[in-house]
C-alpha cells in the first residue's frame, strides 16, 4: 500500500479561500484557545482526552475516599445514606466513563497513529467531535453537583425499576436520573464515533509494509476495543432510550405497573456491561505488551497468540454477560452455559499472562518505572483473574454476588489491571509526548506507595465479602465482624491516595522542570519512537516503510538501508505536493455544544429548548458537511522545519 | 525509617491501629461473624462453600506456580547495568509447544472447577426431588425497605394466610422453599449461613431453597441495591424444632393479644403509671444492639416470646387509641384490633419479634421509642415519614402531617410491646 500516492487527491478540489463564503473560513491559528477548540490534530485531541480524564480521575478518587471514610468505622455519620448512594454511583460512573475509558482513548488517539506510521486519523474533524461530545457527556453527568436535584443515585448500573419515576426520586422535579440517562447516551455516541474512526484508521492508514500481523500489540488492542465499543454500546443505548421514553413520555419498557420487564434492562445493560469490562482492560493489556518487550529488550513472546487471544477475549466477551445475573433466577441451563463460557474466557486471559512471563524470560530487564508498573500489573491482574474464576462457579457466586468480594475482584482488575497499565503508559510515553523524562526516584516511590496502598485497601475486601458484607451499603453494625477489615481498607485507601498524589505531582513537575531527553530514550521497538519529541504536527517527515514487526527496532539495526529508502520516499512525496494536513474546523465543537445544550434542556423536561437546540445540531452538522474536508500541504526543509509559504521563511517545531 | 517529628505520633498511632486491626486475621475474626459464609448451617450453604474451596485451592496452586515462575524470571533476568550499547538478548519470538501445553493445562484446571460447578447449579436450584414431599413453603416479598413473610399453608379464618415481617420462622431440619416476590424494586434475599442469594424481581417468579440443620437464629440482608435505605434493609431467619415451630404457628394464628380493656376507665389494676425506661436521643445511624443480645440471640428470641406480666394497662389502652388517631391503622394490620392496612409490616405479634425497623434495631422499649419519634434518623427515606408522618389530607393526597412526641411514643411502645 503506497500512502504517498494517495495524498494528492485529498483536498485537491477545495476551492481557494477567497472563493468560499466567510462562514467556511477555516481557522489556521496554531496557538491559543481557538487552536484547541478547533483542533483536528490527533495528538492535541489525545492530550485533551488525557487531561480531562485525569481531572475526572481525581474527582472519582475523591468520591472513593469519601466512601472509604464513611465506612472506616461502623455506624458512621460522615455521609447521609443519600449522599453515600450518590457517591458510589458517581464514583463508578466517573471512573468507568470519564476516567479509564477516555484515558485509554487518549492513548488510542496519541499513540496509535504514530505506531502505524500515519499522519492523523482517518476522519480528523470527527475525531474532534468525539472529544467534545465526551466533554458534553461528562458535563451532563456532573451538572447535578450544582443543582437541587443532586447527582444520580441509582447506581452506575441503573437497575430498573429503581430508575423509574415512582421509585428513584424523592422529589417529583428530581432530574438526576434524567441527567444520567442523557449523559450516558451522549458518551455512548462519542465512544462509537471515536471507535469507528480508529477502526478505519487502522485498516486504511497503515504505512507501507505495516501488514496486520506487523501491527504493534497496542494497536491491535485498540482495534479490538474499538470493535467491542461499536458492537456493545448500541445495547445500552437501546436500554437508555427505553428508559428515557419511560421517564419523559410515560412509555412502559421497564414500568412494572404497566407490564414492563426490569429483567430486560439487566440483559441489555450487561450485554453492554460485560464487553465494557474488556473495553477497559484490553487497552491496558496492549500497553503492557508494549512496555514489557521494551524493557526486556526482547520481542513479545508469542505475538500471534497474544493477538489472537485478544480477539478471542473480544468475541467471548459478548457471550458471558449473564454471569452478572447468576442470582436473578435464570434457571439451571442458562446459568450453567454462562458459567462455563465465563470459565472459558479465563483461558485466553491466562495465555496473555504466560506470554508476558515468556517475554521477560531470557531478557535483560531494565527496572524503570514503567516496567515496575507493568510487573505490578501482572501480579495484581492475576489475583483479579483468579477471583474472577471463583465468580464463574455460579453456586459459589450466589454467596459472593453483590458482596464486597466482588468489589475486591473488580478493583483488582480495574485498578491493579487497567489503572496500573495506564500509569505505566503515561510514564512510558511521557518523554515522547513532552520531551521530558520523569525522575526514576519519584516514579518508583509513587509506584511502591500506590502498589502497597492498593493491596492494603482491596485485599481485606475479599474477607469482608465472604464474611457477608453486602455492597452499596452506607453503614454497617459493629457486631458483624467487619470492623477491622474496613478500617484497614480505609487506611489503605488513604495510602493509595497519597501514592496517586505523589504520582501526579511528579508528572506536573516533570512537565515544567523535568530533564529534557532526546529521541528514543528507552531504546524502544515501535515506530512512535522513531520521530523527534515532542512530535511535530505532521508526525513523520517521511512516511516510514515497515520491514518487520518491531519496525523501529529493525530500523535501528538497518540504518543505511532505511536512510536510502526514506530519501527516495521523501522525493516522491514532494512530487505529489508535499505533506497533506487536515484543516481545523469550528463545527465539531459547535455541534457538540448544541448537543450538550439540547440534552440539558431535554433532561429538564424543557422540550421547547430541546427543539431549539436540535435545530442548532442539524444546522451545524449541515455546515460541517458543506464546509468540506479542507486540507493544505506542508513543505519541510532539510532539518524537518516547516517552510512557511507566505513568509518564505521557516516556522520551527 | 524515621518520620519528621510532627508526623511521629500520628505515624505511630497508625501503625498501632494497623497492628490491632490485623490481629483478628490470625484468630479467624475476619471470616467469622453473623453473616459469615464460612460458618454454614445448612446443606445449600455447605455445598456452595465446598465449591468455593475447590476454586480457592485450584486458583491458589496455579497462583503459587505461575507467581514463582514470574518472581524467578524477574530476579534472574534483571539487568545489572542499563548500558544501551550492551548486546541485546536473543530476539526469540515464542515457542508453540510451550504455548499449547500451557493452554492445555489451563483447560484441565478449569475442568476441575467446571464439573462441581455444574453439579452445584442443579443442586442449589431447587429442593431435591426426594425431599420435595417434606419441604415447607413460605413466600417472601421485598418492600422498600423491609421483608414480608407469608405462610401459604397456614390459613386464618377470614384473614387469608398467616403473615409476619422481617423475622422468618422456619422448621429446622426440613428443606424450605422460599418464593421470592417484590412489591416495588429489585431486592435480594440473602441468609449467608443458610444459602446464597436469589433476587426478588418484579414480574418474575423467583424462588430458592434452604435448610437449617439445627434450630438457631440467622442474620439476613437485602443484597441488591434498592434505594436510599438499602443498607439497613435486614431480616432474620429463626429455625425452630418441629414442636416449637408448631407452637409458634399456633400463637401467631391467634389474633392480637388484648392486654386489658380498651378504655382507661375500665382498667381494674393499673400498676405502673409510666413506662419503666429512660429514653435519650440517639445519634443518626447509632447502633441498636445490646451485648447480651449479640452473644445469645437465639435465647433472646425465646425470651421475647414470653408474655411480660407488667403491662401498664392504662398506657397500653392509650397507645391503642393513638394507633388509630395517628392513622397507623391505615398501613399496618393488627389482626383482631383496629389495624387493617397492608402497605406496612403486619404488627399483630410485633412484641414477640427481636427486631424492629426491618431487622435494624433490637426490639427494646428505647429502640422502639427512637424508631417512633424519629424514624428518618433510623431509616432514611422510609415510607412513613417525609419531614413528618404521612397522612392523607382532605384532598386525598399524602402529606407530612404530624410527629409523635415523647408521651405518645411511650404509650405506643407499651401498646406495641404488649402484642406478643
Amino acid at each position: 500500500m503506497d500512502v504517498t500516492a494517495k495524498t494528492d487527491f485529498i483536498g485537491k478540489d477545495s476551492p481557494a479561500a477567497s472563493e468560499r463564503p466567510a462562514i467556511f473560513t477555516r481557522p489556521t491559528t496554531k496557538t491559543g484557545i481557538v487552536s484547541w477548540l478547533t483542533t483536528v490534530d490527533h495528538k492535541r485531541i489525545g492530550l485533551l482526552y488525557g487531561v480531562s480524564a485525569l481531572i475526572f480521575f481525581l474527582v472519582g478518587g475523591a468520591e472513593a475516599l469519601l466512601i472509604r471514610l464513611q465506612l472506616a468505622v461502623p455506624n458512621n455519620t460522615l455521609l447521609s445514606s443519600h449522599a453515600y448512594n450518590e457517591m458510589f454511583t458517581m464514583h463508578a460512573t466517573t471512573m468507568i466513563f470519564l476516567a479509564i475509558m477516555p484515558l485509554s482513548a487518549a492513548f488510542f488517539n496519541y499513540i496509535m497513529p504514530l505506531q502505524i506510521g500515519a499522519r492523523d486519523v482517518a476522519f480528523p474533524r470527527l475525531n474532534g467531535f468525539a472529544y467534545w461530545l465526551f466533554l458534553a457527556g461528562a458535563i451532563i453527568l456532573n451538572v447535578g453537583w450544582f443543582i437541587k436535584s443532586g447527582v444520580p443515585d441509582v447506581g452506575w448500573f441503573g437497575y430498573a425499576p429503581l430508575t423509574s419515576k415512582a421509585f428513584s426520586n424523592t422529589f417529583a422535579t428530581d432530574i438526576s436520573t434524567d441527567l444520567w440517562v442523557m449523559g450516558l447516551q451522549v458518551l455512548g455516541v462519542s465512544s462509537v464515533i471515536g471507535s469507528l474512526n480508529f477502526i478505519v484508521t487502522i485498516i486504511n492508514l497503515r504505512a507501507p509494509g505495516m501488514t496486520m500481523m506487523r501491527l504493534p500489540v497496542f494497536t491491535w488492542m485498540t482495534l479490538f476495543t474499538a470493535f467491542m465499543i461499536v458492537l456493545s454500546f448500541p445495547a445500552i443505548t437501546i436500554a437508555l432510550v427505553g428508559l428515557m421514553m419511560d421517564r419523559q413520555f410515560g412509555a412502559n419498557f421497564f414500568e412494572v405497573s404497566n407490564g414492563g420487564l426490569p429483567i430486560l434492562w439487566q440483559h441489555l445493560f450487561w450485554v453492554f456491561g460485560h464487553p465494557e469490562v474488556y473495553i477497559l482492560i484490553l487497552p491496558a493489556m496492549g500497553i503492557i505488551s508494549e512496555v514489557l518487550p521494551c524493557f526486556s529488550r526482547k520481542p513479545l513472546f508469542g505475538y500471534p497468540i497474544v493477538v489472537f487471544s485478544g480477539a478471542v477475549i473480544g468475541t467471548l466477551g459478548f457471550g458471558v454477560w449473564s454471569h452478572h445475573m447468576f442470582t436473578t433466577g435464570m434457571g439451571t441451563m442458562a446459568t450453567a452455559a454462562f458459567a462455563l463460557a465465563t470459565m472459558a474466557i479465563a483461558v485466553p486471559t491466562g495465555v496473555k499472562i504466560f506470554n508476558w512471563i515468556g517475554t521477560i524470560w531470557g531478557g535483560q530487564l531494565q527496572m524503570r518505572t514503567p516496567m515496575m508498573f507493568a510487573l505490578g500489573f501482572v501480579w495484581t491482574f492475576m489475583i483479579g483473574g483468579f477471583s474472577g474464576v471463583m465468580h464463574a462457579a455460579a453456586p459459589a457466586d450466589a454467596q459472593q454476588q453483590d458482596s464486597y468480594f466482588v468489589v475486591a475482584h473488580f478493583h483488582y482488575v480495574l485498578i491493579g489491571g487497567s489503572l496500573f497499565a495506564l500509569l505505566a503508559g503515561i510514564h512510558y510515553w511521557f518523554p515522547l509526548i513532552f520531551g521530558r523524562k520523569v525522575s526514576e526516584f519519584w516514579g518508583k516511590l509513587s509506584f511502591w506507595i500506590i502498589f502497597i496502598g492498593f493491596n492494603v485497601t482491596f485485599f481485606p475486601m475479599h474477607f469482608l465479602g465472604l464474611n457477608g458484607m453486602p455492597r452499596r451499603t452506607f453503614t454497617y453494625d459493629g457486631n458483624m465482624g467487619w470492623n477491622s477489615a474496613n478500617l484497614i481498607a480505609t487506611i489503605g485507601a488513604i495510602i493509595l491516595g497519597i501514592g496517586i498524589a505523589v504520582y501526579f505531582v511528579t508528572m506536573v513537575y516533570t512537565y515544567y522542570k523535568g530533564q529534557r531527553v532526546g529521541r528514543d530514550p528507552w531504546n524502544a521497538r515501535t515506530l512512535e519512537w522513531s520521530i523527534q519529541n515532542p512530535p511535530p504536527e505532521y508526525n513523520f517527515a517521511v512516511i516510514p516503510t515497515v520491514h518487520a514487526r518491531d519496525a523501529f527496532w529493525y530500523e535501528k539495526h538497518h540504518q543505511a538501508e532505511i536512510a536510502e529508502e526514506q530519501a527516495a520516499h521523501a522525493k516522491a512525496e514532494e512530487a505529489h505536493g508535499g505533506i497533506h494536513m487536515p484543516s481545523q474546523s469550528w463545527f465539531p465543537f459547535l455541534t457538540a455544544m448544541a448537543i450538550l445544550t439540547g440534552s440539558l434542556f431535554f433532561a429538564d423536561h424543557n422540550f421547547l429548548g430541546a427543539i431549539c437546540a436540535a435545530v442548532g445540531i442539524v444546522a451545524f452538522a449541515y455546515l460541517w458537511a458543506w464546509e468540506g474536508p479542507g486540507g493544505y500541504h506542508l513543505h519541510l526543509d532539510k532539518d524537518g522545519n516547516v517552510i512557511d509559504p507566505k513568509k518564505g521563511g521557516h516556522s520551527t517545531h | 525509617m524515621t518520620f519528621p517529628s510532627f508526623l511521629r505520633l500520628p505515624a505511630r498511632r497508625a501503625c498501632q491501629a494497623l497492628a490491632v486491626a490485623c490481629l483478628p486475621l490470625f484468630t479467624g475474626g475476619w471470616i467469622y461473624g453473623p453473616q459469615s459464609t464460612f460458618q454454614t448451617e445448612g446443606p445449600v450453604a455447605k455445598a456452595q462453600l465446598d465449591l468455593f474451596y475447590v476454586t480457592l485451592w485450584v486458583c491458589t496452586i496455579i497462583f503459587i506456580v505461575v507467581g514463582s515462575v514470574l518472581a524467578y524470571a524477574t530476579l534472574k533476568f534483571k539487568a545489572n547495568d542499563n548500558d544501551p550499547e550492551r548486546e541485546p538478548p536473543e530476539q526469540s519470538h515464542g515457542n508453540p509447544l510451550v504455548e499449547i501445553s500451557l493452554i492445555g493445562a489451563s483447560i484441565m484446571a478449569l475442568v476441575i472447577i467446571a464439573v462441581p460447578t455444574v453439579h452445584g447449579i442443579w443442586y442449589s436450584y431447587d429442593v431435591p426431588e426426594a425431599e420435595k414431599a417434606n419441604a415447607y413453603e413460605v413466600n417472601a416479598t421485598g418492600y422498600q425497605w423491609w421483608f414480608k413473610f407469608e405462610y401459604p399453608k397456614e390459613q386464618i379464618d377470614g384473614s387469608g394466610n398467616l403473615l409476619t415481617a422481617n423475622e422468618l420462622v422456619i422448621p429446622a431440619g426440613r428443606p424450605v422453599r422460599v418464593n421470592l416476590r417484590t412489591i416495588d424494586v429489585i431486592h435480594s434475599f440473602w441468609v449467608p449461613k443458610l444459602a446464597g442469594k436469589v433476587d426478588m424481581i418484579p414480574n418474575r417468579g423467583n424462588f430458592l431453597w434452604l435448610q437449617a440443620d439445627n434450630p438457631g437464629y440467622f442474620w439476613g440482608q437485602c443484597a441488591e441495591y434498592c434505594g436510599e435505605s438499602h443498607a439497613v434493609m435486614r431480616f432474620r431467619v429463626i429455625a425452630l424444632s418441629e414442636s416449637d415451630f408448631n407452637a409458634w404457628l399456633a400463637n401467631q394464628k391467634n389474633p392480637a393479644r388484648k392486654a386489658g380493656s380498651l378504655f382507661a376507665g375500665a382498667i381494674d389494676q393499673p400498676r405502673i403509671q409510666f413506662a419503666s425506661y429512660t429514653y435519650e436521643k440517639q445519634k443518626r445511624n447509632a447502633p441498636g444492639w445490646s451485648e447480651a443480645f449479640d452473644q445469645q440471640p437465639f435465647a433472646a428470641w425465646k425470651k421475647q416470646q414470653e408474655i411480660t406480666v407488667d403491662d401498664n394497662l392504662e398506657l397500653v389502652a392509650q397507645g391503642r387509641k393513638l394507633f388509630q388517631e395517628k392513622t397507623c391503622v391505615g398501613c399496618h394490620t393488627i389482626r383482631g384490633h383496629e389495624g387493617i392496612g397492608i402497605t406496612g409490616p403486619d404488627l399483630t405479634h410485633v412484641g414477640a419479634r427481636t427486631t424492629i425497623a426491618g431487622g435494624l434495631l433490637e426490639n427494646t422499649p428505647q429502640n422502639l421509642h427512637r424508631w417512633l419519634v424519629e424514624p428518618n434518623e433510623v431509616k432514611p427515606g422510609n415510607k412513613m415519614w417525609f419531614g413528618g408522618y404521612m397522612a392523607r389530607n382532605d384532598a386525598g393526597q399524602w402529606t407530612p402531617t404530624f410527629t409523635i412526641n415523647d408521651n405518645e411514643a411511650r404509650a405506643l411502645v407499651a401498646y406495641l410491646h404488649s402484642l406478643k
Side-chain angles (χ1 to χ4, degrees):
Chain A
M1 193 175 76
D2 183 5
V3 172
T4 55
K6 283 179 154 187
T7 48
D8 69 334
F9 74 83
I10 302 173
K12 193 166 80 176
D13 50 0
S14 309
S18 55
E19 299 165 22
R20 298 166 62 81
I23 192 170
F24 293 135
T25 309
R26 307 297 283 261
T28 53
T29 168
K30 298 291 177 199
T31 51
I33 184 130
V34 171
S35 72
W36 286 93
L37 294 180
T38 61
T39 187
V40 290
D41 181 351
H42 73 96
K43 297 179 291 300
R44 284 186 162 211
I45 293 168
L47 285 177
L48 286 171
Y49 265 115
V51 171
S52 323
L54 291 175
I55 290 170
F56 284 113
F57 174 70
L58 296 180
V59 172
E63 287 155 4
L65 279 178
L66 281 173
I67 289 172
R68 274 322 316 165
L69 288 175
Q70 163 72 8
L71 295 179
V73 291
N75 305 108
N76 200 0
T77 53
L78 178 70
L79 297 178
S80 70
S81 66
H82 181 67
Y84 181 89
N85 296 342
E86 289 183 330
M87 284 306 156
F88 76 69
T89 301
M90 286 309 287
H91 168 65
T93 311
T94 303
M95 286 305 194
I96 292 168
F97 293 105
L98 311 182
I100 304 288
M101 272 185 80
L103 204 51
S104 303
F107 286 117
F108 296 164
N109 260 300
Y110 204 108
I111 304 299
M112 180 272 289
L114 297 177
Q115 282 197 328
I116 61 172
R119 292 223 166 97
D120 207 318
V121 292
F123 308 113
R125 287 181 298 166
L126 208 55
N127 200 21
F129 185 53
Y131 169 74
W132 295 114
L133 267 189
F134 155 73
L135 193 67
I139 291 171
I140 297 167
L141 277 177
N142 280 285
V143 81
W145 295 112
F146 308 105
I147 62 174
K148 186 179 167 239
S149 288
V151 289
D153 61 347
V154 290
W156 86 281
F157 46 92
Y159 272 7
L162 190 60
T163 46
S164 94
K165 280 196 116 122
F167 298 116
S168 68
N169 300 332
T170 325
F171 306 95
T173 54
D174 187 330
I175 59 163
S176 64
T177 310
D178 299 291
L179 289 168
W180 180 79
V181 168
M182 296 313 293
L184 286 194
Q185 286 185 70
V186 171
L187 287 172
V189 174
S190 159
S191 302
V192 170
I193 287 175
S195 301
L196 287 170
N197 211 343
F198 297 139
I199 292 171
V200 177
T201 305
I202 295 172
I203 291 176
N204 288 311
L205 297 189
R206 281 167 292 133
M210 179 63 89
T211 61
M212 291 305 272
M213 286 313 275
R214 284 179 184 166
L215 284 182
V217 175
F218 177 71
T219 300
W220 264 118
M221 295 306 143
T222 307
L223 185 65
F224 294 144
T225 307
F227 269 113
M228 294 191 82
I229 288 175
V230 168
L231 294 174
S232 69
F233 268 78
I236 191 178
T237 307
I238 290 164
L240 287 167
V241 169
L243 179 59
M244 182 176 82
M245 293 295 165
D246 283 4
R247 289 185 62 90
Q248 302 274 7
F249 305 119
N252 57 354
F253 291 94
F254 308 112
E255 237 4 282
V256 178
S257 52
N258 295 334
L261 278 180
I263 200 75
L264 176 65
W265 172 275
Q266 293 196 18
H267 279 293
L268 287 171
F269 184 83
W270 289 116
V271 165
F272 148 78
H274 197 77
E276 173 69 21
V277 173
Y278 294 104
I279 290 168
L280 298 172
I281 197 68
L282 282 182
M285 291 173 162
I287 293 172
I288 296 305
S289 304
E290 299 293 323
V291 170
L292 286 177
C294 172
F295 293 95
S296 305
R297 305 188 76 197
K298 252 183 91 221
L300 186 67
F301 188 86
Y303 170 95
I305 302 227
V306 173
V307 170
F308 189 68
S309 63
V312 172
I313 291 173
T315 315
L316 275 183
F318 280 92
V320 296
W321 77 87
S322 279
H323 67 209
H324 296 268
M325 299 165 58
F326 278 154
T327 62
T328 58
M330 289 187 298
T332 46
M333 196 54 87
T335 305
F338 281 105
L340 296 181
T342 305
M343 288 177 194
I345 212 166
V347 175
T349 316
V351 162
K352 289 202 177 231
I353 290 182
F354 299 145
N355 281 288
W356 291 325
I357 297 175
T359 304
I360 63 173
W361 191 275
Q364 291 166 4
L365 307 192
Q366 330 235 298
M367 289 298 174
R368 310 290 178 73
T369 313
M371 185 65 163
M372 306 285 279
F373 274 107
L375 290 172
F377 166 97
V378 178
W379 281 103
T380 48
F381 185 73
M382 255 203 291
I383 296 175
F386 285 130
S387 53
V389 171
M390 294 178 186
H391 291 310
D397 183 66
Q399 292 282 22
Q400 297 155 6
Q401 168 83 9
D402 273 313
S403 80
Y404 261 81
F405 193 83
V406 177
V407 179
H409 158 70
F410 69 74
H411 280 97
Y412 264 85
V413 179
L414 290 182
I415 296 185
S418 301
L419 184 67
F420 277 19
L422 291 166
L423 295 181
I426 293 174
H427 239 284
Y428 176 59
W429 280 304
F430 202 94
L432 172 70
I433 296 170
F434 299 111
R436 293 174 192 269
K437 202 161 148 182
V438 188
S439 141
E440 279 298 313
F441 171 80
W442 289 101
K444 281 182 186 165
L445 181 73
S446 67
F447 166 75
W448 282 114
I449 302 176
I450 290 171
F451 188 78
I452 291 168
F454 162 74
N455 281 292
V456 172
T457 310
F458 294 102
F459 203 76
M461 289 188 189
H462 292 108
F463 294 92
L464 281 176
L466 295 172
N467 205 359
M469 180 163 172
R471 304 167 70 175
R472 300 167 185 140
T473 49
F474 74 95
T475 186
Y476 57 94
D477 273 340
N479 58 0
M480 304 302 283
W482 303 334
N483 302 0
S484 49
N486 267 306
L487 182 62
I488 289 178
T490 300
I491 294 170
I494 293 167
I495 299 173
L496 180 58
I498 293 170
I500 297 285
V502 171
Y503 185 97
F504 282 104
V505 169
T506 309
M507 287 299 158
V508 172
Y509 175 84
T510 310
Y511 175 77
Y512 289 106
K513 297 270 177 69
Q515 177 206 348
R516 286 191 181 277
V517 287
R519 192 182 290 211
D520 188 24
W522 305 120
N523 191 12
R525 315 177 69 84
T526 41
L527 276 181
E528 74 269 27
W529 297 101
S530 68
I531 56 178
Q532 53 183 302
N533 62 36
E537 184 190 1
Y538 51 83
N539 295 354
F540 296 90
V542 178
I543 296 288
T545 303
V546 177
H547 299 277
R549 196 169 280 157
D550 287 341
F552 185 43
W553 186 267
Y554 180 90
E555 278 186 21
K556 282 190 278 191
H557 291 85
H558 300 79
Q559 286 175 355
E561 175 199 333
I562 294 292
E564 203 173 294
E565 190 179 77
Q566 293 209 335
H569 282 209
K571 223 173 192 179
E573 198 162 357
E574 196 58 37
H576 283 299
I579 296 172
H580 181 261
M581 299 296 296
S583 297
Q584 285 158 247
S585 169
W586 273 107
F587 293 111
F589 173 73
L590 292 175
T591 314
M593 289 307 112
I595 290 177
L596 168 65
T597 319
S599 304
L600 288 175
F601 276 129
F602 194 75
D604 196 26
H605 304 252
N606 183 336
F607 297 127
L608 188 64
I611 289 168
C612 292
V615 172
I617 297 169
V618 174
F620 287 134
Y622 263 98
L623 290 171
W624 176 345
W626 278 336
E627 115 185 302
Y632 59 96
H633 286 97
L634 286 181
H635 302 274
L636 304 183
D637 65 13
K638 271 184 214 150
D639 304 325
N641 295 323
V642 177
I643 303 167
D644 191 331
K646 283 181 206 148
K647 296 176 190 162
H650 295 161
S651 68
T652 51
H653 270 281
Chain B
M1 190 162 163
T2 53
F3 291 97
S5 57
F6 67 94
L7 275 179
R8 240 169 244 159
L9 187 66
R12 196 187 308 149
R13 286 277 152 78
C15 290
Q16 284 168 351
L18 204 65
V20 170
C22 278
L23 205 61
L25 184 57
F26 305 101
T27 59
W30 276 25
I31 54 170
Y32 296 139
Q35 285 182 193
S36 171
T37 61
F38 291 101
Q39 295 169 306
T40 62
E41 302 274 358
V44 181
K46 176 80 167 51
Q48 289 163 338
L49 179 66
D50 289 345
L51 178 60
F52 170 73
Y53 281 136
V54 172
T55 64
L56 181 67
W57 284 118
V58 170
C59 291
T60 306
I61 290 166
I62 301 175
F63 180 71
I64 290 171
V65 172
V66 178
S68 311
V69 177
L70 174 59
Y72 173 80
T74 310
L75 296 174
K76 159 104 176 147
F77 298 107
K78 195 171 156 184
N80 292 321
D81 61 289
N82 290 329
D83 179 11
E85 301 303 316
R86 185 176 160 197
E87 197 57 32
E90 190 202 341
Q91 302 290 297
S92 63
H93 286 276
N95 184 331
L97 194 66
V98 172
E99 302 268 13
I100 289 167
S101 16
L102 285 173
I103 292 172
S106 318
I107 291 171
M108 291 303 293
L110 286 172
V111 169
I112 298 175
I113 298 176
V115 171
T117 295
V118 172
H119 177 259
I121 288 170
W122 263 265
Y123 177 74
S124 58
Y125 178 67
D126 200 355
V127 182
E129 236 13 86
E131 304 253 17
K132 278 228 163 101
N134 187 30
Y136 193 78
E137 195 168 5
V138 294
N139 301 337
T141 308
Y143 286 69
Q144 279 180 324
W145 290 274
W146 59 282
F147 288 91
K148 180 176 90 179
F149 298 117
E150 186 179 3
Y151 293 78
K153 289 181 182 169
E154 314 300 336
Q155 302 286 328
I156 299 164
D157 293 337
S159 301
N161 297 335
L162 173 61
L163 289 177
T164 178
N166 297 325
E167 294 193 358
L168 173 63
V169 179
I170 56 168
R174 268 172 80 178
V176 178
R177 191 181 199 267
V178 187
N179 298 313
L180 303 169
R181 305 290 184 268
T182 170
I183 203 80
D184 38 48
V185 301
I186 299 173
H187 302 281
S188 192
F189 181 95
W190 189 25
V191 195
K193 289 192 178 181
L194 298 182
K197 62 192 75 63
V198 173
D199 297 347
M200 303 164 139
I201 300 176
N203 289 353
R204 199 170 164 88
N206 277 351
F207 60 90
L208 61 69
W209 78 281
L210 49 78
Q211 177 177 326
D213 288 336
N214 298 300
Y217 186 95
F218 309 105
W219 266 253
Q221 183 153 3
C222 174
E224 183 61 79
Y225 176 61
C226 55
E228 197 168 357
S229 268
H230 161 60
V232 288
M233 180 173 173
R234 303 172 192 167
F235 66 104
R236 302 291 185 276
V237 173
I238 295 112
L240 298 177
S241 65
E242 200 70 37
S243 58
D244 284 353
F245 180 66
N246 288 332
W248 179 82
L249 278 180
N251 182 47
Q252 289 285 310
K253 284 189 201 168
N254 289 334
R257 179 171 161 264
K258 291 189 171 62
S261 311
L262 184 54
F263 300 106
I267 294 171
D268 48 0
Q269 39 175 217
R271 272 179 292 194
I272 309 163
Q273 286 304 315
F274 301 101
S276 55
Y277 65 87
T278 53
Y279 173 71
E280 279 169 31
K281 190 172 156 51
Q282 301 280 312
K283 244 174 53 175
R284 177 158 61 92
N285 290 3
W289 298 101
S290 63
E291 191 106 333
F293 180 89
D294 272 348
Q295 274 157 13
Q296 300 283 338
F298 194 34
W301 183 85
K302 284 181 176 157
K303 190 154 178 287
Q304 198 77 21
Q305 308 308 305
E306 296 163 10
I307 293 171
T308 44
V309 287
D310 57 349
D311 283 325
N312 179 332
L313 294 185
E314 188 181 4
L315 267 185
V316 168
Q318 259 180 42
R320 185 165 169 182
K321 201 151 160 251
L322 278 169
F323 199 78
Q324 294 176 69
E325 286 173 7
K326 296 285 185 185
T327 67
C328 311
V329 290
C331 297
H332 295 282
T333 296
I334 296 182
R335 206 158 19 86
H337 292 195
E338 293 75 24
I340 50 162
I342 54 164
T343 48
D346 186 304
L347 299 179
T348 307
H349 297 280
V350 69
R353 293 182 199 146
T354 43
T355 64
I356 50 169
L360 181 61
L361 302 175
E362 186 184 347
N363 191 4
T364 62
Q366 287 92 338
N367 280 335
L368 186 52
H369 190 112
R370 176 180 162 205
W371 176 220
L372 289 167
V373 173
E374 39 187 11
N376 216 47
E377 298 288 292
V378 173
K379 196 164 230 180
N382 74 79
K383 302 297 176 198
M384 294 192 289
W385 180 274
F386 190 86
Y389 276 95
M390 303 294 283
R392 274 187 207 274
N393 62 15
D394 294 339
Q397 292 158 327
W398 287 99
T399 46
T401 309
F402 60 88
T403 55
I404 289 179
N405 67 29
D406 259 9
N407 288 334
E408 290 165 343
R410 280 172 194 277
L412 282 166
V413 166
Y415 172 54
L416 292 172
H417 270 191
S418 75
L419 303 174
K420 292 284 182 177

